[in-house]
C-alpha cells in the first residue's frame, strides 16, 4: 500500500466516522428524548457525549491533516475550487457541531438533575433539545455536500 493509498483510506475512514457517529448520535438522542424518561435520557446523553469526544472529535482533528497530506501527495493545489469549498463547508459544519456538543452535555445534566430531584424535565431541556435538533440539519447537509465534492471534484472557479 502506498503512502497516498494509506492517506486516502484514513481520510475516507475519518469521513465515515464523522458521518456515521453523527447519524448514530442523532438517532439515539432523538429516541431517548421521545421517551421523556430522565433516566434514559441521562444515560443515552452520557454515552453520546463520550462518543462525540472519542470518535467525532478525533475524526474532526484528523480529517484536515489527512486531507492536506492527500492533496499534497496527489498534487492538488489547496486553491482548487472544490477543496476550498469543502474546507468552507467543514468550518460551517463545525460552527454547528461545537454548540451541539455543549448542548448535549447540558441536556445530559438537566436530565440527571430531573432524575435526582424526581421531577419532569424542565422547559429549558425542551428549548435546548429543539436547538440541538435544528442545528443537526445544516451540519449534516454540509457533510453530505463535502462527500459529493470529494467524490466528483467538480471544476469550480472561486477566484
Amino acid at each position: 500500500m502506498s503512502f497516498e493509498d494509506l492517506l486516502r483510506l484514513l481520510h475516507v475512514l475519518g469521513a465515515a466516522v464523522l458521518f456515521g457517529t453523527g447519524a448514530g448520535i442523532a438517532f439515539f438522542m432523538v429516541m431517548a428524548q421521545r421517551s421523556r424518561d430522565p433516566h434514559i435520557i441521562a444515560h443515552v446523553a452520557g454515552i453520546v457525549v463520550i462518543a462525540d469526544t472519542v470518535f467525532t472529535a478525533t475524526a474532526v482533528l484528523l480529517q484536515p491533516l489527512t486531507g492536506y497530506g492527500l492533496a499534497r501527495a496527489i498534487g492538488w493545489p489547496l486553491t482548487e475550487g472544490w477543496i476550498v469549498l469543502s474546507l468552507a463547508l467543514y468550518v460551517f459544519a463545525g460552527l454547528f457541531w461545537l454548540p451541539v456538543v455543549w448542548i448535549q452535555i447540558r441536556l445530559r445534566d438537566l436530565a440527571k438533575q430531573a432524575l435526582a430531584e424526581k421531577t419532569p424535565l424542565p422547559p429549558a431541556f425542551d428549548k435546548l433539545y429543539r436547538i440541538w435538533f435544528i442545528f443537526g440539519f445544516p451540519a449534516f447537509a454540509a457533510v453530505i455536500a463535502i462527500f459529493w465534492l470529494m467524490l466528483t471534484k467538480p471544476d469550480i472557479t472561486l477566484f
Side-chain angles (χ1 to χ4, degrees):
M1 176 181 288
S2 71
F3 183 63
E4 180 184 320
D5 289 339
L6 177 63
L7 284 172
R8 190 181 309 267
L9 175 64
L10 292 174
H11 197 65
V12 169
L13 287 174
V17 166
L18 278 175
F19 189 79
T21 304
I25 283 171
F27 175 78
F28 287 110
M29 282 293 287
V30 167
M31 297 308 290
Q33 186 275 341
R34 289 184 60 178
S35 76
R36 302 299 296 165
D37 182 335
H39 177 74
I40 291 171
I41 295 168
H43 180 72
V44 170
I47 292 170
V48 159
V49 169
I50 292 168
D52 245 351
T53 302
V54 173
F55 297 107
T56 311
T58 302
V60 162
L61 295 174
L62 292 178
Q63 277 307 100
L65 298 175
T66 59
Y68 175 77
L70 188 57
R72 298 287 294 172
I74 292 172
W76 290 324
L78 296 178
T79 55
E80 281 278 331
W82 70 271
I83 293 176
V84 172
L85 188 52
S86 293
L87 290 170
L89 287 166
Y90 193 75
V91 170
F92 177 80
L95 292 174
F96 284 93
W97 177 69
L98 287 172
V100 159
V101 172
W102 176 83
I103 290 170
Q104 288 167 175
I105 292 167
R106 190 73 186 113
L107 292 173
R108 177 201 63 195
D109 294 348
L110 288 169
K112 282 183 178 181
Q113 182 180 356
L115 183 61
E117 296 172 358
K118 296 181 173 51
T119 60
L121 296 166
F125 179 92
D126 294 318
K127 180 180 179 186
L128 282 172
Y129 175 80
R130 281 190 296 276
I131 295 168
W132 175 87
F133 187 83
I134 291 166
F135 273 29
F137 288 97
F140 267 100
V143 171
I144 290 169
I146 293 168
F147 270 96
W148 181 82
L149 288 165
M150 286 191 318
L151 291 170
T152 62
K153 297 168 195 61
D155 186 19
I156 300 172
T157 305
L158 296 174
F159 307 105

